[in-house]
C-alpha cells in the first residue's frame, strides 16, 4: 500500500441532535472532521499509510482532534502543535424539503495562522506516493494558501502525484482575494482534479453541463455525456499537467434523498458510473471526501483499470451517506460488496 499525505484543517463539529434546529437545541453532538482529514481516514481504512498534516493547539481539545485521527489509523507524526484554537463548525441537519445548514467559527485557528517554519515539507513528502489538498485550505487564510503552495512544490520535487478537490466554500473566502485568483495558480500543480460542476465554474470559469437526473431510471445522464467530454477537454486545456478530471454529480431530491453519479475524463476518453439513488441518508457530510478517498485508493490499487477505480469511489461515496459523522468508516470489502450489487442491507452473519 502507498503513502498518502493530506494537508488541511480538522475541526470540531457540533451538531444538533437528530433533526432539531439550532434554536431548539440545548446540547450538541461532538465529532471531528474536515475535508482533507476525512480523505486521510478513508485511505487509512483501506490500508494505506495515511498522514494528515495540520497545526493544532497543545491543549486538550487539540489533543482530542489528534486522538480522533489516531483512532482510525491516520498517522499524526507531522502535526505541528501550537496556536490558540481548533476551528469549529456547527451543523443543523435538514429533513425533507428543509436543507441542512452550516455555521463556521474557524477564524484565527491554529492552521489558519501557521507559518512555513512549522513544517518541513521535504521530509513530509519523502517516500510519498500521493499528496491531496483541497480548496478549503487556501480559503482559510493567506497563510494557509502559502502553506498549500509550499506543500505542492515539495510534492513535485519528490515526484509525488498531486490531487485537488476544488471544494469551493463561499463563506470562507473573506480575506481579500477571490477563489479564482488564489486557486488557479495552485491548481496548476495538480495531476488529478475532483469537483462538482459549480466549483469548476467558480474556480476555472467553465460553465456547468447541468446534470439533473430525477431518479435512478432517468436517462438524462446518458444524454449529457458528449457535454461532459467537452467539459473534461476544457479542464485539460486550462490545467495542462492534469491527467484525470473528475466530475462528482449529485442531484438533491430532498434533504435526505439524493442521486449520485460520477464521470472521469482521461486519456482523451470519458468514463462514467451508474447511478446510486439514496432515499434515506443518515449523514451526507463528507460524501465528496469519501469519493476522493475511494478514488485515491482505486488509482493506486488498480493503476490500469480506471473503470474499477471509478466504481469503487462512487460506491464508497454512496456508503458514506449511511455513516454518521464526517469520516467514512467502511472497509474495502464493504465497498466491493456494494460494487457487486449487494444493496439488501441484510445482517451480515
Amino acid at each position: 500500500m502507498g503513502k498518502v499525505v493530506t494537508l488541511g484543517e480538522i475541526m470540531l463539529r457540533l451538531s444538533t441532535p437528530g433533526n432539531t434546529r439550532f434554536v431548539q437545541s440545548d446540547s450538541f453532538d461532538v465529532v471531528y472532521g474536515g475535508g482533507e482529514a476525512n480523505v486521510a481516514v478513508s485511505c487509512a481504512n483501506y490500508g494505506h499509510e495515511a498522514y494528515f498534516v495540520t497545526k493544532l493547539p497543545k491543549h486538550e481539545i487539540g489533543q482530542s482532534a489528534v486522538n480522533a485521527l489516531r483512532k482510525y489509523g491516520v498517522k499524526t507524526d507531522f502535526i505541528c502543535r501550537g496556536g490558540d484554537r481548533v476551528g469549529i463548525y456547527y451543523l443543523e441537519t435538514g429533513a425533507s424539503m428543509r436543507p441542512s445548514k452550516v455555521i463556521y467559527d474557524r477564524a484565527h485557528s491554529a492552521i489558519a495562522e501557521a507559518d512555513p517554519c512549522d513544517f518541513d515539507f521535504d521530509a513530509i513528502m519523502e517516500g510519498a506516493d500521493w499528496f491531496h489538498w483541497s480548496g478549503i485550505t487556501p480559503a482559510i487564510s493567506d497563510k494557509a494558501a502559502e502553506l498549500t503552495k509550499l506543500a505542492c512544490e515539495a510534492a513535485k520535487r519528490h515526484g509525488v502525484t498531486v490531487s485537488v478537490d476544488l471544494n469551493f466554500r463561499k463563506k470562507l473566502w473573506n480575506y481579500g482575494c477571490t477563489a479564482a485568483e488564489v486557486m488557479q495558480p495552485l491548481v496548476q500543480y495538480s495531476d488529478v482534479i475532483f469537483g462538482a460542476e459549480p466549483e469548476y465554474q467558480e474556480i476555472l470559469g467553465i460553465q456547468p453541463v447541468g446534470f439533473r437526473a430525477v431518479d435512478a431510471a432517468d436517462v438524462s445522464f446518458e444524454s449529457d455525456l458528449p457535454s461532459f467530454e467537452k467539459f473534461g477537454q476544457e479542464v485539460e486545456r486550462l490545467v495542462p499537467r492534469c491527467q484525470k478530471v473528475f466530475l462528482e454529480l449529485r442531484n438533491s431530491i430532498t434533504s435526505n434523498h439524493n442521486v449520485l453519479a460520477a464521470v472521469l475524463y482521461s486519456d482523451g476518453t470519458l468514463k462514467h458510473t451508474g447511478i446510486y439513488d439514496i432515499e434515506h441518508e443518515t449523514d451526507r457530510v463528507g460524501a465528496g471526501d469519501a469519493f476522493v478517498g475511494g478514488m485515491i485508493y482505486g488509482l493506486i490499487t488498480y493503476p490500469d483499470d480506471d473503470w474499477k477505480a471509478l466504481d469503487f469511489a462512487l460506491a464508497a461515496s454512496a456508503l458514506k451517506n449511511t455513516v454518521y459523522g464526517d469520516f467514512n468508516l467502511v472497509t474495502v470489502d464493504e465497498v466491493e460488496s456494494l460494487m457487486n450489487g449487494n444493496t439488501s442491507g441484510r445482517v451480515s452473519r
Side-chain angles (χ1 to χ4, degrees), residues 63-93:
Q63 188 60 45
S64 294
V66 173
N67 293 347
L69 293 163
R70 289 176 176 169
K71 180 178 180 180
Y72 298 111
V74 175
K75 295 184 179 296
T76 59
D77 307 48
F78 301 119
I79 292 181
C80 175
R81 302 303 296 271
D84 295 326
R85 66 185 302 251
V86 176
I88 299 171
Y89 82 95
Y90 299 87
L91 173 66
E92 177 186 277
T93 303

Side-chain angles (χ1 to χ4, degrees), residues 43-341:
C43 290
N45 283 339
Y46 301 146
H48 290 302
E49 187 181 18
Y51 290 82
F52 180 62
V53 181
T54 194
K55 186 172 184 178
L56 286 166
K58 294 181 180 179
H59 55 52
E60 290 84 353
I61 303 303
Q63 188 60 45
S64 294
V66 173
N67 293 347
L69 293 163
R70 289 176 176 169
K71 180 178 180 180
Y72 298 111
V74 175
K75 295 184 179 296
T76 59
D77 307 48
F78 301 119
I79 292 181
C80 175
R81 302 303 296 271
D84 295 326
R85 66 185 302 251
V86 176
I88 299 171
Y89 82 95
Y90 299 87
L91 173 66
E92 177 186 277
T93 303
S96 189
M97 71 287 295
R98 175 171 60 84
S100 297
K101 181 179 294 185
V102 168
I103 297 175
Y104 291 118
D105 178 16
R106 57 200 297 182
H108 307 294
S109 65
I111 189 63
E113 299 189 345
D115 294 311
C117 62
D118 290 327
F119 305 98
D120 182 347
F121 284 115
D122 282 305
I124 291 169
M125 298 300 170
E126 182 68 35
D129 299 283
W130 200 287
F131 170 60
H132 177 72
W133 63 282
S134 91
I136 295 173
T137 303
I140 296 171
S141 68
D142 54 353
K143 285 189 172 183
E146 179 63 19
L147 290 177
T148 305
K149 179 183 177 182
L150 294 173
C152 288
E153 290 174 344
K156 287 305 162 191
R157 286 195 296 272
H158 289 267
V160 180
T161 299
V162 175
S163 64
V164 59
D165 188 345
L166 299 178
N167 261 345
F168 176 70
R169 299 290 185 269
K170 183 177 181 180
K171 292 180 180 180
L172 295 180
W173 287 99
N174 56 14
Y175 62 89
C177 297
T178 67
E181 289 172 337
V182 176
M183 287 288 291
Q184 285 183 12
L186 291 174
V187 169
Q188 299 301 321
Y189 292 98
S190 298
D191 306 290
V192 179
I193 302 178
F194 300 92
E197 293 178 273
E199 293 168 332
Y200 282 98
Q201 181 179 20
E202 289 286 349
I203 292 167
L204 295 177
I206 302 174
Q207 291 301 311
V209 173
F211 167 73
R212 293 294 296 172
V214 176
D215 57 41
D218 192 281
V219 297
S220 64
F221 178 60
E222 294 288 341
S223 65
D224 288 335
L225 292 179
S227 296
F228 287 136
E229 187 169 5
K230 292 179 182 178
F231 191 101
Q233 292 169 349
E234 180 65 6
V235 176
E236 286 193 342
R237 184 186 70 81
L238 294 170
V239 188
R241 76 169 304 117
C242 179
Q243 301 172 14
K244 297 183 187 294
V245 179
F246 291 93
L247 266 174
E248 302 155 40
L249 306 171
R250 177 188 291 268
N251 184 25
S252 296
I253 310 301
T254 66
S255 180
N256 49 7
H257 179 190
N258 284 265
V259 176
L260 302 182
V263 296
L264 162 63
Y265 182 78
S266 179
D267 298 323
T269 62
L270 190 77
K271 301 174 178 68
H272 63 90
T273 64
I275 293 177
Y276 283 100
D277 187 6
I278 306 170
E279 296 187 16
H280 304 288
E281 291 179 330
T282 298
D283 193 334
R284 65 176 284 182
V285 176
D289 306 321
F291 179 86
V292 172
M295 201 68 226
I296 292 173
Y297 169 84
L299 291 174
I300 293 176
T301 308
Y302 323 120
D304 300 318
D305 194 342
D306 282 351
W307 283 102
K308 187 172 182 179
L310 187 60
D311 286 342
F312 185 96
L314 191 67
S317 181
L319 282 172
K320 169 60 195 73
N321 289 271
T322 72
V323 179
Y324 175 74
D326 278 39
F327 298 156
N328 193 25
L329 306 178
V330 298
T331 66
V332 170
D333 287 345
E334 289 172 327
V335 177
E336 290 183 341
S337 176
L338 180 58
M339 289 168 63
N340 292 329

